[in-house]
Amino acid sequence: MDQSTPHRTEASPTEASQTKASPTEAQAVTGWAMPVITLLGVAAAIVAAFVGSGALGGTPVAEAAGGALSADATPVAPAGSAFGIWSVIYLGLIAYALWQLTATARRSARQRALRPWALASVLLNAAWIWTVQLDQIAASVVVIVVLLGVLVRIMYLLGAPRTGGAVELVVTDGTFGLYLGWVSVATLANTFAWLAAEGVDPVTEIPLGLVGIVAAAGIGLATALLSRGRVAPALATAWGLAWVAVGRTEGRFESGALVWTAAVASAVVLVVAVLNWLRVRRVTPPRQDASLPSRS
């Protein structure tokens, strides 16, 4: 052998493959402690919320605190049927709590960052229900504002690459998107209810009701435009605004102006979200699942 010739060893196909896949393989696997705590916490919070809502007897939330949060309490209160969205959100949270136990989720840095915030969100929701049941409307506003902040943080965290494909998209992005969109509307309605209970009369008048609806639509539009083409938050916001429109067709705050403003606001939020989703899909190349090694 010519000693002057540099000796070069070619990596075998197997070794090359292992080297190439090492970034994925090197992902830390989360232990069982936090996933199990998240599962138990979500389950406990949903049970607490279910009991506190009056579903098993007792006072329904709409009738608690002297009816401050009833469907006819303020001009921006959604009709009672709007709260059916919680069934979808709770089912999504249960699916998320189970899915995040899987090996795929326990290898995901995205899910590792999400778990504490997801747990905080369900605990805050249960706390909100019980503050209302204890007639603490002012405290309920503080809790729901904090909950809204947590959900905004969750949407930021969900900007990281997914590792679970379509399942993760539905049970995580879809669930928390609906959660954020609904809580955005509920925060405004809750604030109006608190002010009305404190005797701030302007919030029970039609003009400020119109301002409140426009504000809710503005929040929905901002979320749609800043959430990288996500449609789920806008769906829930549009749902809430649509039921505000339905609620204003009769009762104490019956008003054609409120009906049309809420209905148009609902449609605008949804249309803008869909158009933004189409725009993002058109200008952004398909993102490869982060669990797969990239192609050379």
Side-chain angles (χ1 to χ4, degrees), residues 146-205:
V146 175
L147 172 57
L148 180 61
V150 167
L151 292 170
V152 169
R153 174 60 178 169
I154 286 174
M155 282 294 106
Y156 174 80
L157 292 174
L158 293 181
R162 291 190 303 274
T163 59
V167 174
E168 183 176 8
L169 177 64
V170 173
V171 302
T172 300
D173 299 65
T175 295
F176 288 101
L178 291 175
Y179 201 174
L180 171 62
W182 173 253
V183 170
S184 296
V185 175
T187 299
L188 186 72
N190 198 168
T191 302
F192 267 65
W194 166 58
L195 293 173
E198 293 296 318
V200 182
D201 293 335
V203 300
T204 62
E205 297 173 359

Side-chain angles (χ1 to χ4, degrees), residues 94-107:
I94 292 170
Y96 158 75
L98 294 172
W99 179 82
Q100 58 90 36
L101 294 171
T102 65
T104 297
R106 289 189 298 110
R107 284 194 301 266

Side-chain angles (χ1 to χ4, degrees), residues 41 44 95 120 122 134 204 207-208 225 231 234:
V122 293
L134 294 172
T204 62
L208 204 55
L225 294 173
V231 177

